[in-house]
Amino acid sequence: MSKALVAYFSASGVTAKLAKTLADAIGADLHEIKPQQPYTAADLDWTNPKSRSTVEMKDKSFRPAVANTVENMAQYDTIYVGFPIWWYVAPTIINTFLEQYDLTGKTIVPFATSGGSGMGNTNQELAPSCKGAVLKEGKRFRASAGQAELKSWCDSLA
């Protein structure tokens, strides 16, 4: 039987709520991607060109350090990776997370929360970090998305 993991990065708690709902809906394990240096409100101020998130997102090669790892990544066949959309793509900490593991033969499924923008160039930006894996087209959800909507989406990916 295939085993799924929902791994997520949440700067403000919105994506965390969605990730927990998704994990419950599909019976997956849950893993929070924690930055080594937590983001402050000032770090997340996208209107400030000198804020940490703005600086990180302008440099596509930047890889913020992750404080924790998935203990036995080999046991998972499908990894749902959740995050808030930053500058129309996944935050670079998602690349850091994916690049830590051998993803050969796994299926990676991005999902996101956003105040209004869609997935943008997310898959193009994540593809180099998913070597050997099948990267599915991701989807942005409202923070209030329920279990039925999330399960239906997951079922449609099969």
Side-chain angles (χ1 to χ4, degrees), residues 55-121:
V55 169
E56 288 178 4
M57 294 307 291
K58 281 187 177 169
D59 178 358
K60 297 297 182 188
S61 67
F62 190 81
R63 296 293 183 262
V66 174
N68 58 338
T69 58
V70 175
E71 272 189 32
N72 183 8
M73 186 60 94
Q75 69 181 313
Y76 299 107
D77 302 305
T78 304
I79 303 154
Y80 294 87
V81 183
F83 45 85
I85 292 288
W86 286 4
W87 291 263
Y88 305 100
V89 294
T92 53
I93 194 168
I94 299 303
N95 299 85
T96 308
F97 171 76
L98 293 167
E99 291 165 5
Q100 296 180 91
Y101 304 100
D102 177 1
L103 301 174
T104 305
K106 298 185 183 309
T107 300
I108 309 297
V109 185
F111 68 96
T113 56
S114 168
S117 56
M119 294 297 278
N121 293 324

